[in-house]
Amino acid sequence: MKIIDYVIESTNKYIEQMPKEIRKKNGQFFTSKETALFMASLFDLSPFSKEISILDPGAGSGILTAAFIQRIVDTDKIKNVKITCYETNDDILELLNANLSWISDNSSLKIEYKVIKDNYITSQTLEYNNMLGACAEPKKYDVIIGNPPYLKIGKIDKEALSMPDICYGAPNLYFLFMEMASFNLVNNGELVFIVPRSWTSGAYFKKFREKFLSEVALKHIHLFVSRDKVFDKESVLQETIIIKAKKETNKPKNITITTTNANFDFDSKTVFEAPYDMVISGEHKYVFLITDKGEADTIEKVNEWKDTLPTLGLKMKTGLTVDFRNREALRDDAYEKAVPLFYSQHIKDGKVIFPVGRDNEYILTEQKGLLQENTNYLFVKRFTAKEEKRRLQCGVYLSKKYPKYKAISTQNKINFITGLQGLSDCLVYGLYVVLNSTLYDNYYRILNGSTQVNATEINSMPVPPLACIENMGKELIKLKDMSEENCDEILRRFMYV
């Protein structure tokens, strides 16, 4: 029996008898055989002739280690393998040890293995932070392969406090594993991880991206089109990617980006060589997952602009009112002194329609933090369904349509663009042209794989100059056609003039 098949079989027996609720609590999701073998195939083994050291942090049942050993056996070159596995979960430690013992006994390789029953992050706090009492020469590995736990932790949890230089807010364990793995690599060593996509953008991950991407060069990124067909038997809804990175400061010219629909069709993957400085760019070090020439053209076109909303004195913000926390202030009717509370349901076909007859359309409050000036805004939905045609769904809000109100409020499931000074009608319509265009919708989808529109990311996106945006707005007002096609046509006419 092949090594990988034995370990997969023993793992499946474990999954059948261990309730999913318990495994989910530990952030424990098992890699499929096909995915594990694909991950193992990404390593460059050419520098190794006789011996190699491998680390599998958060090893689980040892599926990834088994896949890597299978790769070595199949290439028939390396003879000695030193394996280190970290695992703290008592439920699976017995299985991990049994699998490693079986691999050692049933392989032609000389295998030394060690299972460390210790917290992968906190056990290296002193070394990672170069503190007094740290080991002078911490152990480093040639290759690291990982499927880390996907688990949100508190900002004062011991793991977060162990890596303060990359944590902001409440972090997720998976990216702490990625950074610690970078620390554990020898120079020119490689790591391959399967992780959520969320780290590639957003403010929460900025400190991590800056550090991680300064230490390693991304060599390969693999995307799955399907969210629910990556982990066998797990029913996990997650935007997941596989990354290969090399510990070196020289960045390659290109990054290989491959795509499959699920975890069983790696033989029919698409392959695109994307320019490195197009994939990783800007002060936020966002990672743009560009899968074909069309997407590369989209990034190139938008990046021609040098302004952002903040450089133009504009800013996207998130709606002010969390309705379930302010129930006592909500009203169904327009009581005296109550003001409109705008929800995503009020954004329809590019316009803001109010009222629409839903509950809690008004708010009666003196809290200044829940109120904003009744002036012009561009509203943008924060959440859309995965299946919807557009991610960026906008509505033009004009204050002159609601002259009786000095203030309004916005529910926090919409974003709004405002300015240091009030936005003219032309400017609001011009911003609508930009964000309602196919070009910008595609750009945002490449930047962010989730269904949430984040103000931080919109504020970082390149946009045309102010005068250009206003002129596009004038055109839209004149044409009275809010369609995406019309916005595309207007944007094309004004691009780079």
Side-chain angles (χ1 to χ4, degrees):
M1 179 184 270
K2 281 198 163 193
I3 289 165
I4 186 67
D5 291 322
Y6 176 86
V7 174
I8 289 289
E9 200 174 287
S10 68
T11 303
N12 287 343
K13 287 176 185 170
Y14 168 84
I15 290 172
E16 283 162 17
Q17 55 89 31
M18 184 57 63
K20 187 185 172 189
E21 294 71 42
I22 294 175
R23 292 187 291 107
K24 190 175 179 183
K25 189 179 159 197
N26 295 317
Q28 189 183 71
F29 303 108
F30 292 100
T31 321
S32 72
K33 173 184 171 181
E34 295 81 5
T35 301
L37 290 172
F38 176 73
M39 289 171 68
S41 77
L42 295 177
F43 288 102
D44 176 13
L45 299 183
S46 60
F48 305 97
S49 55
K50 293 178 183 173
E51 186 174 288
I52 193 168
S53 61
I54 172 177
L55 170 65
D56 185 347
S61 63
I63 291 172
L64 290 176
T65 294
F68 188 78
I69 298 299
Q70 187 72 63
R71 165 99 192 274
I72 291 173
V73 168
D74 292 345
T75 50
D76 194 27
K77 183 182 164 193
I78 299 163
K79 300 302 176 193
N80 299 336
V81 184
K82 293 183 177 178
I83 302 168
T84 302
C85 293
Y86 276 82
E87 184 53 60
T88 58
N89 188 335
D90 286 324
D91 292 330
I92 205 164
L93 269 166
E94 187 182 341
L95 176 60
L96 174 61
N97 276 296
N99 283 341
L100 291 172
S101 176
W102 190 92
I103 291 169
S104 182
D105 293 342
N106 291 272
S107 161
S108 57
L109 308 172
K110 184 188 174 193
I111 292 176
E112 292 176 36
Y113 70 85
K114 179 167 63 170
V115 175
I116 301 175
K117 188 189 173 185
D118 206 346
N119 186 306
Y120 176 60
I121 304 299
T122 59
S123 63
Q124 301 187 84
T125 301
L126 298 181
E127 287 73 23
Y128 178 80
N129 294 290
N130 198 21
M131 296 165 78
L132 197 63
C135 174
E137 291 186 15
K139 178 84 176 117
K140 304 284 181 178
Y141 302 87
D142 297 320
V143 297
I144 302 177
I145 190 165
N147 175 8
Y150 305 172
L151 206 60
K152 205 157 190 183
I153 59 172
K155 59 185 175 185
I156 58 167
D157 280 15
K158 57 191 179 182
E159 291 89 353
L161 296 175
S162 292
M163 305 180 78
D165 57 339
I166 62 164
C167 289
Y168 171 83
N172 196 305
L173 271 180
Y174 83 81
F175 77 83
L176 301 188
F177 270 65
M178 289 168 72
E179 175 53 35
M180 191 61 84
S182 169
F183 172 73
N184 289 148
L185 273 179
V186 299
N187 288 334
N188 296 311
E190 294 181 336
L191 65 84
V192 174
F193 269 55
I194 181 166
V195 288
R197 173 181 170 157
S198 49
W199 69 274
T200 60
S201 62
Y204 272 98
F205 303 94
K206 183 172 185 270
K207 288 165 76 176
F208 161 67
R209 281 194 306 272
E210 287 171 344
K211 184 159 194 231
F212 184 70
L213 296 172
S214 70
E215 298 166 337
V216 302
L218 287 182
K219 308 287 278 187
H220 192 127
I221 303 173
H222 182 82
L223 284 72
F224 298 95
V225 175
S226 170
R227 289 195 300 163
D228 60 353
K229 298 203 169 48
V230 178
F231 294 101
D232 279 359
K233 304 175 173 53
E234 296 288 18
S235 306
V236 180
L237 267 180
Q238 181 68 259
E239 294 280 353
T240 313
I241 62 175
I242 294 167
I243 66 152
K244 171 190 170 179
K246 186 173 183 179
K247 191 158 185 178
E248 61 178 0
T249 50
N250 294 332
K251 305 308 180 196
K253 188 181 171 193
N254 293 322
I255 298 178
T256 302
I257 299 184
T258 53
T259 311
T260 55
N261 186 57
N263 67 2
F264 46 77
D265 52 354
F266 289 104
D267 288 342
S268 57
K269 64 183 178 293
T270 65
V271 182
F272 183 67
E273 295 293 329
Y276 195 93
D277 57 4
M278 187 182 283
V279 174
I280 300 164
S281 62
E283 61 167 313
H284 295 278
K285 289 283 183 283
Y286 289 151
V287 180
F288 290 83
L289 301 175
I290 305 164
T291 62
D292 58 34
K293 179 74 167 60
E295 291 184 350
D297 288 345
T298 293
I299 301 297
E300 196 169 18
K301 281 176 185 169
V302 174
N303 285 349
E304 288 277 326
W305 306 119
K306 299 307 172 199
D307 281 301
T308 61
L309 291 178
T311 67
L312 300 179
L314 306 171
K315 197 169 188 183
M316 177 174 275
K317 298 180 179 179
T318 299
L320 308 180
T321 298
V322 180
D323 48 354
F324 68 84
R325 286 188 192 144
N326 296 278
R327 285 198 181 98
E328 74 292 340
L330 305 182
R331 301 289 184 271
D332 292 342
D333 300 304
Y335 290 93
E336 190 182 353
K337 293 189 178 175
V339 301
L341 172 59
F342 291 94
Y343 295 79
S344 56
Q345 291 95 323
H346 293 116
I347 300 170
K348 292 188 177 178
D349 300 323
K351 296 172 185 169
V352 174
I353 310 296
F354 184 91
V356 292
R358 63 155 288 158
D359 294 341
N360 303 325
E361 277 189 302
Y362 296 87
I363 185 166
L364 180 58
T365 182
E366 298 291 319
Q367 280 189 63
K368 288 190 176 170
L370 300 180
L371 299 173
Q372 60 202 87
E373 187 185 351
N374 183 17
T375 185
N376 289 351
Y377 298 102
L378 183 70
F379 289 166
V380 183
K381 291 183 183 181
R382 265 186 81 202
F383 298 95
T384 52
K386 182 77 179 170
E387 300 71 31
E388 288 188 76
K389 181 174 174 274
R390 288 191 57 86
R391 188 67 64 241
L392 300 179
Q393 298 187 22
C394 318
V396 170
Y397 175 83
L398 299 176
S399 58
K400 64 188 178 188
K401 292 193 175 180
Y402 309 92
K404 63 186 273 192
Y405 300 106
K406 281 189 177 176
I408 61 167
S409 189
T410 43
Q411 193 228 14
N412 81 322
K413 288 185 180 164
I414 66 173
N415 295 311
F416 60 91
I417 297 178
T418 184
L420 298 174
Q421 276 107 29
L423 276 57
S424 67
D425 290 11
C426 294
L427 186 50
V428 178
Y429 276 100
L431 289 167
Y432 176 85
V433 170
V434 173
L435 292 190
N436 195 54
S437 68
T438 307
L439 181 71
Y440 272 80
D441 193 65
N442 288 343
Y443 184 96
Y444 193 80
R445 283 172 182 271
I446 299 164
L447 170 60
N448 184 319
S450 78
T451 54
Q452 184 170 330
V453 176
N454 296 315
T456 306
E457 290 161 1
I458 297 290
N459 287 327
S460 74
M461 285 166 52
V463 294
L466 200 62
C468 183
I469 296 174
E470 287 177 328
N471 286 330
M472 288 193 283
K474 287 174 187 170
E475 283 291 306
L476 187 63
I477 292 168
K478 208 190 305 176
L479 292 167
K480 296 179 180 169
D481 176 358
M482 304 292 280
S483 68
E484 182 176 342
E485 294 74 19
N486 191 41
C487 291
D488 290 345
E489 177 56 33
I490 292 170
L491 186 62
R492 258 194 303 272
R493 268 188 278 143
F494 281 85
M495 282 184 90
Y496 323 125
V497 290

